[in-house]
Amino acid sequence: MNKPELLRVEVAYIALDRQFLREIHLPPGSTVADALVASKVEEEFAIKLDALRVGIWSKAVDRSAMLADGDRVEIYRPLKIDPKDARRARAKQKG
């Protein structure tokens, strides 16, 4: 019997001052939570991942979501300003 291939997964996080993109290899059946732990992003950036949303390829998912080979797990920071409010402020400055 062949040993199952490992999944190749990327974990991405954009901080205010730098980017994090790490390729990791996980066994089949791994979840988003497994990828976050294996990437060590929490330790490298001293952030609390519990409060941040996550997704796969720009689609928000739960941390229990199963991974497929080639997935990119993304960690989303909260918005500093609502995009609608930012647009209104720009329009007000021009007008």
Side-chain angles (χ1 to χ4, degrees):
M1 198 177 255
N2 290 339
K3 188 175 183 180
E5 293 289 321
L6 293 177
L7 303 176
R8 183 189 57 79
V9 177
E10 291 181 334
V11 176
Y13 176 68
I14 308 294
L16 294 175
D17 58 345
R18 64 185 173 128
Q19 296 181 11
F20 176 91
L21 183 62
R22 180 163 295 158
E23 183 176 302
I24 56 175
H25 297 89
L26 298 167
S30 294
T31 64
V32 169
D34 297 328
L36 295 173
V37 170
S39 73
K40 301 190 186 310
V41 65
E42 194 168 30
E43 294 88 359
E44 190 163 324
F45 282 84
I47 56 175
K48 292 290 183 192
L49 291 176
D50 295 345
L52 301 177
R53 294 180 51 217
V54 295
I56 298 174
W57 291 113
S58 301
K59 181 181 176 197
V61 298
D62 190 73
R63 285 170 168 71
S64 63
M66 301 295 281
L67 294 170
D69 189 50
D71 277 348
R72 181 175 67 199
V73 174
E74 300 162 339
I75 303 163
Y76 307 124
R77 289 185 293 118
L79 296 175
K80 294 280 184 190
I81 185 169
D82 183 297
K84 290 179 186 177
D85 292 339
R87 194 173 327 122
R88 284 186 197 107
R90 285 192 306 271
K92 189 175 182 178
Q93 286 179 343
K94 289 182 182 179

